[in-house]
């Protein structure tokens, strides 16, 4: 159970890094911690630039899914 939770959070964290590498900005940005937490909980973020392949964009989007069972 603990290993599964670590893997799930690692996938999400890698999605954050890949998103930032592609868009040159973080998927979730806010001025205050509470606002940042709300954005993360909502799970919405700007689209990944269309210069990248659909496969990569879909992969990153799935990695950032709010539902852990939808992550790769």
């Amino acid at each position: 159970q603990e290993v599964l939770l670590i893997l799930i959070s690692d996938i999400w964290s890698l999605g954050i890094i890949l998103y930032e590498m592609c868009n040159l900005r973080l998927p979730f940005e806010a001025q205050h911690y509470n606002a940042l937490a709300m954005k993360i909980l909502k799970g919405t973020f700007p689209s990944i630039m269309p210069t990248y392949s659909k496969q990569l964009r879909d992969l990153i989007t799935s990695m950032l899914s709010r539902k852990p069972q939808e992550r790769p």
Side-chain angles (χ1 to χ4, degrees), residues 1-15:
Q1 180 78 5
E2 184 177 323
V3 172
L4 180 59
L5 291 175
I6 291 170
L7 289 174
I8 289 169
S9 63
D10 285 351
I11 295 294
W12 189 84
S13 299
L14 182 57

Side-chain angles (χ1 to χ4, degrees), residues 16-56:
I16 296 288
I17 293 167
L18 291 174
Y19 181 98
E20 185 176 10
M21 289 173 66
C22 292
N23 278 10
L24 303 176
R25 61 179 286 190
L26 292 168
F28 308 105
E29 296 180 315
Q31 295 294 321
H32 304 284
Y33 178 78
N34 289 340
L36 177 61
M38 290 305 296
K39 286 186 175 187
I40 292 171
L41 289 173
K42 287 173 76 175
T44 57
F45 48 88
S47 299
I48 299 161
M49 292 191 294
T51 54
Y52 296 97
S53 70
K54 181 173 177 2
Q55 292 88 354
L56 179 60

Side-chain angles (χ1 to χ4, degrees), residues 57-68:
R57 289 181 284 143
D58 289 347
L59 174 64
I60 295 170
T61 299
S62 68
M63 294 172 91
L64 294 177
S65 174
R66 286 185 58 226
K67 298 177 182 177

